[in-house]
Amino acid sequence: MMRLRLFPRTLRARIAASFSVLLFFTATAVTIGFARQAAQTHLETQRRLANNLMVFVEPAVRGMVAGYDVAGLDDYMQKIAADPAIASIRIVDDGGGSLLYQHQGNAEPASWLSRMLAGAAGASPLLVSEVSINGAKVGRIEAELSYAPLNRSVRQVVAVGGALTAIALAAVFLLAYLLLTRFTAPLRPLMQWAREFAHGNWRPRVKLIESGSREIQELNQAFADGSATMRHYIQSLEETRELLEYSETRLRKLVNGMHEVLFELDADGRIVFLNPAWQALTGFVAEDSLGKPFADFLLDEDAIRDFDLRALAQLHEKNREISLRSADGKRLWMSLDADAQTDSAGNFTGIIGTFSDITKSVELNHLLSRYQDELYHLSVTDPLTGLYNRRHFDSQLEVILSDHLPKNMPVCLLLIDLDGFKFINDTYGHPFGDEVLRTTAQLLKQQVRRNDYIARLAGDEFAMVLKNTDIENATRIARKLHDCISDTRIPLPVGHMQLQSSMGVAEAPTHGTNAQDLVSAADVALYHSKRGGRNRIEVLSPDISRAVMSIFSQGFQLRNALEQGHIHPAYQPICNLKNGEPVAYEVLARMRINGLVIQAKDFITVAEELGLTREVDLHVIGQALLQTPSEHALFLNVDISSFNDKGFVKDLSQLLKPACAGGRSITIEITERETIPLSDSLHQDIQQLRAFGCKLALDDFGSGYSTYNFLNQFRPDYLKIEGSFVRGMLQNESDRKIVTHIHELASSFGMQTIAESVEDAATEHALQEIGISNAQGLFYGAPRLAS
């Protein structure tokens, strides 16, 4: 729809029009002033004339009325009424109220111009004059004036003034327009320049018009300079825009290609920007996540508190480990970098930050930490019972003593050993034995006080460290624990088994100020408890014999020697009596401490008491196989009681099978130091060893524990004649007969005999006479360590 233009479009036309309008209002005001003055003067003149007329008419009318000159009155009044200023006139008789004369002319009211300019009333004015004769009122003259002459006069004045004003206005407008056209001509090219500028043309071809006006000259120069400056700015802006577009493209590619999530939050903690990595990492669509509180995606309470509205303004995080929830509900671990943002006035505006996925790294660290904890737990605990092991016990006891003894707080050590556990294992099997150990460990856990310490040392031996406890209280605790163990029944397929235990109690610092001395003292007490009849508690006291203390002192030496590799094999030759050449070497155990070599007879009893014969035998056999040439036949001493441990037979087989397969001659030399039941499992173990090439020898035959039953069942390849009979055969005929009888018995079974403890040539000759073909003893060489 077209709009009506009320004002000219050009500047000069508007200036001319404005000047003309100003002139118009001025002329109008002047015209109205003059018209108003003329109208008021005309109105006033008309009123004065009317009043004067009434003054002049009254005497004439009075005379005509008094002379009853009616005709003359009519002629006279008609002449008066002919005046256009008289609208109506009449003469009234007061005496009878009759109308003597009446004329009704043009009663034109005052126009709006007359009312506005002259201030005339709306209705025509009424003039009244009394007619009196001899002082008596005989009538009155009423005349009503007409506004027609006033209206006509006002219109004429307004019309003439308006015409003159219009002519002057037109002339002034034309003259002003022409002058302004002349003066504003230099503005036209400037306007065209501005139009070209608006359309982006900063090099217009329009020629500027020179002007004598300093302002126009400055304006032309300003436009020219502005054009050059704008061209420079435009060029710079274009270059900057291209650089920004290039940078924006690179930045967008970088942001979109980031593996890290770039995010922005507003001051309310709501997400306002996310790059595509958000959806790739979390599975949430970025568009759907915008506008949501960032805290809605957090899982940990501390992180949620940090992104609370009250804490956002102080947020500053660097490599903060947080967890987010993914779209599928999984926990994602992120490394967060975020900072609060402020405007130039210091007002908080939001958060900008990044976070990267470290889920695999965190999970791996957690897994490694758990594995480390598990490995440490496995390294310091016994897997069967869950109690601390011997390694942890040794280190922890030193810590406990160093912490308590300087504060004069006593520490007691209680060692617990299950009675008959070996019989339980052999009779009911290792699974049942494991159940017994677990049950005992559970009893210890139930009875231990909050700050005390318990551990499984080895096999069926347990330890309880009682902190800040004297010997009397420790004895009471031991009795309570002993009763609890004695009251425990473990169900069997038929019936049940009652547990029994032996206990030894020692106190620090009374019996020792370090871990080794305290354990040694408690071991002595436990040993004394077992030797005293088992199933009892023994508290270490000064009256325990020095012999028992010596045994346990050797026990510690034996343990340390095994751990430090101070147990070595010694080799004694077994020779052919005919030529004296070695046919084999018996391997014997020796302990070497500080240059002193200790024979097996001096520590083997301790090894048996402490259950270390298995470790001693395996260590010595392993070293002998490594040290000797493969062509040397070896006699390896093995305690027959070690066969009760299936693990021993397995370990022994792993050592001997490769040696036998390589052609080495191996003979297992069994010594019976106590009566051992000849079970089917023992028979199977020995047959297993003989199956891959081992031979069997029975040592010390003729001593107290050698039995014909063993000889009959196992049919050893060699019988070694007890050395005491060999040494006495030259002086004692009965000893000679025993040696002869053993040889004949062995021969009848197809076995070879080996005489032990041969110390001289006479004994050698006597053995040759009997028919014995092999012998060993000091005459052929003492046991010697490997060079």
Side-chain angles (χ1 to χ4, degrees):
M1 186 172 79
M2 294 183 62
R3 294 181 297 174
L4 180 62
R5 297 188 180 276
L6 300 179
F7 301 99
R9 298 179 61 182
T10 63
L11 177 61
R12 58 180 178 272
R14 291 190 178 191
I15 294 175
S18 299
F19 185 75
S20 300
V21 169
L22 180 61
L23 182 60
F24 169 76
F25 281 113
T26 303
T28 300
V30 172
T31 301
I32 291 174
F34 283 124
R36 181 179 180 86
Q37 184 66 34
Q40 290 178 350
T41 302
H42 186 279
L43 179 62
E44 185 64 27
T45 302
Q46 183 178 341
R47 287 178 178 173
R48 284 199 303 269
L49 289 175
N51 288 330
N52 291 335
L53 179 63
M54 293 297 287
V55 172
F56 290 122
V57 170
E58 188 272 333
V61 172
R62 184 174 65 238
M64 291 179 187
V65 172
Y68 295 99
D69 186 0
V70 177
L73 181 62
D74 287 337
D75 292 338
Y76 182 76
M77 294 306 297
Q78 286 179 358
K79 293 178 181 179
I80 297 300
D83 191 339
I86 303 300
S88 65
I89 190 170
R90 66 177 181 171
I91 302 172
V92 181
D93 182 9
D94 280 347
S98 62
L99 184 64
L100 299 180
Y101 178 81
Q102 181 175 1
H103 170 76
Q104 184 68 38
N106 182 15
E108 181 178 341
S111 67
W112 65 274
L113 282 175
S114 299
R115 291 195 299 271
M116 181 183 68
L117 297 176
S124 300
L126 181 66
L127 301 177
V128 180
S129 178
E130 301 292 337
V131 180
S132 302
I133 300 176
N134 296 326
K137 183 179 179 181
V138 296
R140 68 180 182 274
I141 302 172
E142 296 179 356
E144 183 178 0
L145 298 179
S146 174
Y147 282 119
L150 177 62
N151 292 340
R152 186 167 54 253
S153 176
V154 170
R155 284 196 296 271
Q156 289 176 353
V157 171
V158 171
V160 172
L164 294 175
T165 300
I167 293 171
L169 184 62
V172 170
F173 177 80
L174 180 60
L175 180 60
Y177 185 80
L178 293 176
L179 292 174
L180 288 172
T181 300
R182 176 75 175 82
F183 293 150
T184 59
L187 295 177
R188 183 181 298 275
L190 291 176
M191 181 180 64
Q192 292 177 352
W193 271 49
R195 188 179 296 113
E196 293 292 332
F197 287 172
H199 289 85
N201 181 13
W202 298 102
R203 295 179 180 273
R205 297 181 180 180
V206 180
K207 185 178 181 180
L208 297 177
I209 299 175
E210 297 293 334
S211 174
S213 171
R214 187 180 65 184
E215 290 82 0
I216 295 299
Q217 291 177 359
E218 292 178 353
L219 190 59
N220 287 344
Q221 187 62 39
F223 263 80
D225 294 344
S227 175
T229 303
M230 289 304 297
R231 286 196 301 270
H232 174 71
Y233 285 164
I234 289 298
Q235 183 178 1
S236 298
L237 288 173
E238 184 65 23
E239 294 174 354
T240 303
R241 183 186 63 81
E242 292 177 356
L243 182 60
L244 286 176
E245 287 181 354
Y246 175 73
S247 299
E248 181 183 2
T249 302
R250 288 190 61 195
L251 181 60
R252 185 179 295 109
K253 290 181 179 179
L254 288 173
V255 170
N256 292 340
M258 287 174 61
H259 295 293
E260 297 81 7
V261 175
L262 177 64
F263 68 96
E264 182 180 2
L265 310 181
D266 60 16
D268 295 326
R270 297 183 179 275
I271 301 174
V272 295
F273 173 79
L274 291 167
N275 67 337
W278 168 264
Q279 183 170 347
L281 289 181
T282 66
F284 290 107
V285 179
E287 289 76 8
D288 297 340
S289 302
L290 297 179
K292 295 182 179 180
F294 183 69
D296 290 353
F297 299 93
L298 300 175
L299 293 177
D300 298 331
E301 289 297 330
D302 58 342
I304 294 174
R305 285 194 301 269
D306 290 341
F307 279 88
D308 186 77
L309 293 180
R310 294 166 293 184
L312 276 180
Q314 289 77 38
L315 186 69
H316 176 72
E317 300 292 351
K318 186 69 175 178
N319 295 329
R320 166 77 177 277
E321 188 177 291
I322 64 171
S323 57
L324 300 178
R325 63 180 179 89
S326 64
D328 55 4
K330 295 181 179 179
R331 178 184 289 266
L332 301 175
W333 290 98
M334 301 290 174
S335 177
L336 172 69
D337 292 335
D339 288 289
Q341 304 296 310
T342 56
D343 57 17
S344 58
N347 299 318
F348 172 65
T349 59
I351 301 292
I352 293 180
T354 62
F355 55 82
S356 56
D357 186 12
I358 57 171
T359 302
K360 292 184 178 179
S361 175
V362 171
E363 290 179 350
L364 180 60
N365 288 336
H366 289 174
L367 186 62
L368 289 176
S369 178
R370 187 169 69 250
Y371 284 165
Q372 288 174 353
D373 292 341
E374 291 177 356
L375 287 175
Y376 175 75
H377 180 74
L378 290 174
S379 68
V380 300
T381 59
D382 171 51
L384 178 63
T385 61
L387 302 179
Y388 289 113
N389 58 18
R390 180 60 183 259
R391 175 185 175 186
H392 189 267
F393 168 81
D394 290 339
S395 62
Q396 192 64 22
L397 183 57
E398 288 285 4
V399 172
I400 294 173
L401 292 176
S402 62
D403 180 58
H404 283 68
L405 296 185
K407 301 175 183 177
N408 295 323
M409 292 188 294
V411 176
C412 285
L413 174 61
L414 173 60
L415 294 183
I416 304 102
D417 190 272
L418 296 178
D419 295 335
F421 181 74
K422 185 174 181 301
F423 173 79
I424 294 173
N425 257 344
D426 294 342
T427 305
Y428 301 105
H430 289 283
F432 185 79
D434 291 345
E435 181 61 27
V436 170
L437 294 176
R438 282 192 292 266
T439 300
T440 305
Q442 191 62 33
L443 292 175
L444 293 176
K445 292 177 183 178
Q446 294 173 357
Q447 297 297 321
V448 73
R449 300 177 304 179
R450 180 183 299 273
N451 294 324
D452 292 339
Y453 176 91
I454 52 176
R456 180 190 177 195
L457 302 185
D460 59 341
E461 186 176 357
F462 299 87
M464 179 182 290
V465 181
L466 306 175
K467 302 177 183 178
N468 195 22
T469 305
D470 57 22
I471 196 71
E472 294 181 1
N473 289 323
T475 304
R476 273 197 303 272
I477 294 172
R479 289 197 186 101
K480 182 179 179 182
L481 178 60
H482 185 269
D483 294 340
C484 183
I485 295 176
S486 299
D487 293 339
T488 300
R489 305 290 188 273
I490 299 179
L492 294 170
V494 178
H496 61 268
M497 170 171 286
Q498 179 180 357
L499 296 182
Q500 293 183 348
S501 62
S502 298
M503 299 183 183
V505 184
E507 179 191 36
T510 304
H511 302 121
T513 57
N514 56 53
Q516 181 174 346
D517 292 344
L518 185 61
V519 172
S520 177
D523 264 339
V524 170
L526 178 61
Y527 179 81
H528 193 67
S529 172
K530 284 185 169 294
R531 289 303 181 189
R534 302 180 186 269
N535 194 28
R536 57 197 296 271
I537 300 170
E538 187 66 44
V539 180
L540 188 64
S541 59
D543 60 352
I544 292 182
S545 67
R546 291 183 177 272
V548 175
M549 286 296 293
S550 176
I551 290 175
F552 277 90
S553 176
Q554 295 178 34
F556 276 108
Q557 289 181 349
L558 179 60
R559 284 195 183 99
N560 292 334
L562 279 172
E563 293 174 358
Q564 298 173 13
H566 292 165
I567 302 295
H568 304 281
Y571 306 94
Q572 185 175 30
I574 301 174
C575 297
N576 189 306
L577 288 177
K578 293 181 180 180
N579 55 26
E581 294 295 326
V583 295
Y585 293 88
E586 180 180 2
V587 179
L588 303 169
R590 294 292 185 266
M591 182 191 303
R592 184 162 57 184
I593 299 178
N594 297 326
L596 179 65
V597 177
I598 302 174
Q599 298 185 15
K601 63 182 182 62
D602 295 325
F603 63 81
I604 198 64
T605 303
V606 176
E608 292 174 351
E609 291 291 342
L610 300 180
L612 297 176
T613 54
R614 174 183 183 276
E615 284 77 6
V616 172
D617 288 346
L618 291 176
H619 176 77
V620 170
I621 291 172
Q623 291 296 311
L625 293 175
L626 292 174
Q627 292 177 359
T628 58
S630 59
E631 62 271 15
H632 286 189
L634 297 179
F635 276 63
L636 305 176
N637 283 281
V638 175
D639 192 322
I640 195 171
S641 63
S642 298
F643 284 93
N644 294 324
D645 185 351
K646 289 296 181 182
F648 170 79
V649 177
K650 180 179 178 181
D651 294 340
L652 182 62
S653 298
Q654 290 177 351
L655 288 174
L656 299 183
K657 190 172 182 179
C660 293
R664 182 188 286 271
S665 175
I666 299 293
T667 301
I668 303 298
E669 186 172 327
I670 293 177
T671 301
E672 294 186 273
R673 293 188 178 89
E674 58 182 65
T675 302
I676 300 296
L678 302 181
S679 62
D680 293 338
S681 62
L682 176 61
H683 189 274
Q684 293 173 1
D685 293 337
I686 292 178
Q687 289 302 112
Q688 176 183 342
L689 295 174
R690 301 181 83 171
F692 51 75
C694 290
K695 298 178 181 179
L696 184 64
L698 182 60
D699 191 19
D700 296 333
F701 188 79
S703 61
Y705 295 107
S706 298
T707 63
Y708 288 101
N709 189 24
F710 184 93
L711 205 64
N712 185 45
Q713 286 193 29
F714 294 96
R715 301 295 177 96
D717 300 281
Y718 299 95
L719 279 184
K720 299 187 74 172
I721 303 171
E722 165 64 28
S724 59
F725 300 136
V726 175
R727 286 193 301 270
M729 63 182 294
L730 297 180
Q731 291 82 24
N732 192 330
E733 185 62 25
S734 60
D735 289 339
R736 182 184 180 91
K737 290 182 179 179
I738 291 174
V739 170
T740 302
H741 174 71
I742 292 174
H743 173 67
E744 292 174 351
L745 178 64
S747 298
S748 65
F749 280 94
M751 307 172 189
Q752 296 186 43
T753 53
I754 300 174
E756 295 182 307
S757 301
V758 178
E759 299 178 353
D760 51 43
T763 305
E764 179 187 46
H765 181 70
L767 294 173
Q768 291 174 344
E769 290 180 348
I770 295 174
I772 297 174
S773 56
N774 300 302
Q776 69 180 112
L778 296 179
F779 182 69
Y780 304 102
R784 297 180 61 184
L785 299 176
S787 300

